[in-house]
Amino acid sequence: VDEVKGEVKSQVKGEVIGFVDVDGRKKMKRKFQGGPRPYLSDLAISKDHRRNGLATLLIQHCEKTVGGWGFDSLHLRVAKENAAALQLYQGLEYKIVTENGSSSSPTFLL
């Protein structure tokens, strides 16, 4: 599995206004055994450019890329209290696989 980094630049100023990273991560001990799986991380959109579909475009770019690697799924982790991110991913038909993390910072694996 290779690594892909995606970014969106403003057409007006040429500044980076969004970023995402996908790489191969080892699968969790029990539930996902085998070789690495594609893992999405570090998705960020600048505050002034949120709610314009940029995050969706970056996620779709990652999905297409990992499809080219021969995978049919993309894994990620979201903080349980991050309602906006959960809404985004669930709107793109991601499903919660498991809930874990510490009691002080629980996360969902999607």
Side-chain angles (χ1 to χ4, degrees), residues 6-95:
E7 63 183 26
V8 178
K9 291 187 178 182
S10 166
Q11 292 183 338
V12 177
K13 297 181 181 179
E15 62 188 285
V16 175
I17 57 175
F19 179 86
V20 68
D21 181 48
V22 173
D23 60 25
R25 304 258 173 118
K26 288 186 177 182
K27 295 184 180 187
M28 304 302 286
K29 293 178 186 173
R30 293 166 291 217
K31 195 155 189 148
F32 307 105
Q33 300 208 358
R37 65 176 174 5
Y39 188 88
L40 184 146
S41 63
D42 302 325
L43 176 63
I45 305 295
S46 69
K47 286 184 180 183
D48 293 342
H49 296 89
R50 292 180 185 166
R51 307 271 185 225
N52 290 315
L54 298 175
T56 297
L57 288 173
L58 285 172
I59 293 165
Q60 290 170 338
H61 172 72
C62 292
E63 291 171 341
K64 184 177 178 179
T65 299
V66 302
W69 295 344
F71 292 96
D72 60 2
S73 64
L74 184 58
H75 300 263
L76 58 112
R77 188 174 304 281
V78 176
K80 188 175 181 178
E81 70 275 0
N82 191 342
L86 286 169
Q87 182 178 2
L88 168 69
Y89 293 118
Q90 289 175 328
L92 292 170
E93 300 184 11
Y94 283 77
K95 305 290 184 220

